[in-house]
Amino acid sequence: MKRIALLGATGSIVRQALEIIAAETELELVAAASGSQAIDGLAPLTQVGGDPTELLERAEPDIVLNAVVGFAGLPATLWALEHGVTLALANKESLVAAGELALAAQERGGGLLLPVDSEHSAAFQCLEGRRPEQVDSLVLTGSGGPFRGRARDELEDVTPDEALAHPTWQMGPKITVDSATLANKGLELIEAHFLFGLPYDRIEVVLQPTSVVHALVRFRDGASLAHLGYPDMRVPIAYALAYPSRSATTVPPLDFSQGLVLEFEPPDLETFPLLALARRAGEQGGTYPCAFNAANEVAVAAFLDGRLPFLGIAATVEETMAEVGGASARDLDDLVEADRTARRLAERALAVT
Ligand code: MG
């Protein structure tokens, strides 16, 4: 029996995780935490607000599913890795902001880090049992979001509602806006760098509009392995919770009876500059990825509030990254400081916009 703690309990990841846990006798829900909404009775132990690591201390889970949104997920990520508790990670921002610290904590704790992000779960499965020297490169796929194919001047007046209409995935508002700007793919690029230990020049992003191919790994012999399936987060959630087994889900297998066309195209980096900005932040390393993430969180919140136009999201992040100084990320204090500084700079950029 695996004891599971769910963090970010009012979001769509946890809702789907509950379905998987209910259907799988080997999985037992022991605790759940939410940021602010009431979750009475959801799990034997619950906590609303406050520090979720206090709940984890009491619950003693075997697996922490971290589905908190944003930088706020970092303490739980570090707690699980430090304690050698399996971390099913749906909070990519914590690994982006604190990749080096997280890997050091995992080294000390000796536990598993299993990605719940669909592309990374797919890549993890393609890479299982392969030695790094056999790998040529990793390809992360993205749908391109609701604005794929549009020119810059066609994005000036798009509304939050339009940005939230994702063509293939049902997700929360923050990640859905990130998908529309391609910031999500940028965060995923940094996430993949830390998860798989590949340099940035060996991680490529390609658009696959129907979201059937989730990732590909190219090997040095010229072979590529891909992970395919209908876009449904229950697959990567179930994989992380049941690993190394596989649970049954209600997701249908691929159906070829009507044919299946897979198209790929390169992302438009001029129209969607956040992907290239994220790549640069990742290459610069240290606190730069943390600053990128913080500026993006501030800008997305402002866009969702109607305080910033869609194109202002990238402009705000770009302006923040031009002003922020980099430093090495030695400990959590360095990151909290970098996060705070970037948020302040981003808020200032917003005030000018
Ligand atoms: Mg993803």
Side-chain angles (χ1 to χ4, degrees):
M1 194 69 110
K2 291 181 186 169
R3 296 160 54 79
I4 300 179
L6 303 175
L7 308 180
T10 52
S12 69
I13 295 284
V14 164
R15 203 168 54 240
Q16 295 172 86
L18 287 169
E19 193 185 308
I20 289 156
I21 294 167
E24 177 56 72
T25 51
E26 285 304 301
L27 304 176
E28 180 190 6
L29 177 61
V30 295
S34 86
S36 57
Q37 291 181 49
I39 49 167
D40 297 337
L42 187 68
L45 289 172
T46 59
Q47 181 177 311
V48 178
D51 179 356
T53 64
E54 288 168 15
L55 177 74
L56 297 175
E57 292 283 353
R58 279 191 289 148
E60 298 181 358
D62 300 310
I63 303 178
V64 174
L65 174 59
N66 186 358
V68 172
V69 177
F71 187 71
L74 182 55
T77 286
L78 293 178
W79 184 93
L81 294 172
E82 201 72 65
H83 287 77
V85 172
T86 297
L87 175 63
L89 185 66
N91 171 255
K92 72 189 82 185
E93 292 95 336
S94 58
L95 195 57
V96 167
E100 288 162 36
L101 282 191
L103 294 184
Q106 186 193 13
E107 184 93 18
R108 288 190 296 271
L112 284 170
L113 169 49
L114 300 170
V116 173
D117 209 342
S118 60
E119 297 78 4
H120 304 71
S121 175
F124 183 89
Q125 293 173 55
C126 293
L127 283 164
E128 252 192 299
R130 317 280 166 174
R131 301 187 61 79
E133 64 269 21
Q134 299 172 4
V135 176
D136 171 72
S137 54
L138 168 63
V139 182
L140 297 175
T141 54
S143 69
F147 305 138
R148 182 181 59 86
R150 291 207 199 179
R152 210 179 143 72
D153 60 5
E154 295 171 298
L155 295 174
E156 271 164 16
D157 302 320
V158 297
T159 64
D161 279 348
E162 290 172 279
L164 291 173
H166 197 279
T168 55
W169 293 98
Q170 299 293 319
M171 305 177 292
K174 199 271 178 174
I175 187 174
T176 306
V177 173
D178 283 345
S179 298
T181 62
L182 294 195
N184 184 50
K185 231 28 75 177
L187 295 170
E188 290 182 350
L189 176 69
I190 301 171
E191 182 186 13
H193 165 76
F194 287 118
L195 277 172
F196 305 120
L198 286 169
Y200 286 98
D201 61 4
R202 287 165 63 195
I203 310 173
E204 185 182 347
V205 171
V206 78
L207 301 186
Q208 199 277 302
T210 56
S211 300
V212 168
V213 179
H214 305 305
L216 299 98
V217 177
R218 300 189 187 100
F219 292 92
R220 65 179 178 183
D221 59 0
S224 295
L225 294 186
H227 182 287
L228 282 73
Y230 294 120
D232 193 311
M233 286 308 294
R234 286 173 295 185
V235 178
I237 296 167
Y239 186 79
L241 296 183
Y243 180 83
S245 181
R246 282 184 189 264
S247 282
T249 73
T250 53
V251 180
L254 278 183
D255 177 7
F256 298 102
S257 62
Q258 308 300 313
L260 181 69
V261 177
L262 299 177
E263 288 179 309
F264 297 86
E265 63 187 53
D268 176 352
L269 298 177
E270 313 253 299
T271 307
F272 302 96
L274 282 166
L275 177 52
L277 282 169
R279 185 179 283 276
R280 196 179 316 146
E283 285 167 348
Q284 288 172 309
T287 55
Y288 279 106
C290 177
F292 173 88
N293 176 66
N296 184 57
E297 285 188 30
V298 168
V300 170
F303 170 67
L304 286 170
D305 281 353
R307 290 188 288 136
L308 186 69
F310 181 78
L311 293 175
I313 300 173
T316 300
V317 175
E318 186 165 15
E319 202 172 320
T320 304
M321 294 310 286
E323 288 188 35
V324 83
S328 59
R330 292 159 305 179
D331 54 27
L332 190 54
D333 290 345
D334 285 349
L335 291 170
V336 169
E337 179 59 31
D339 176 81
R340 195 180 296 142
T341 302
R343 281 173 200 272
R344 198 180 59 234
L345 290 170
E347 290 289 355
R348 203 171 68 192
L350 285 180
V352 176
T353 305

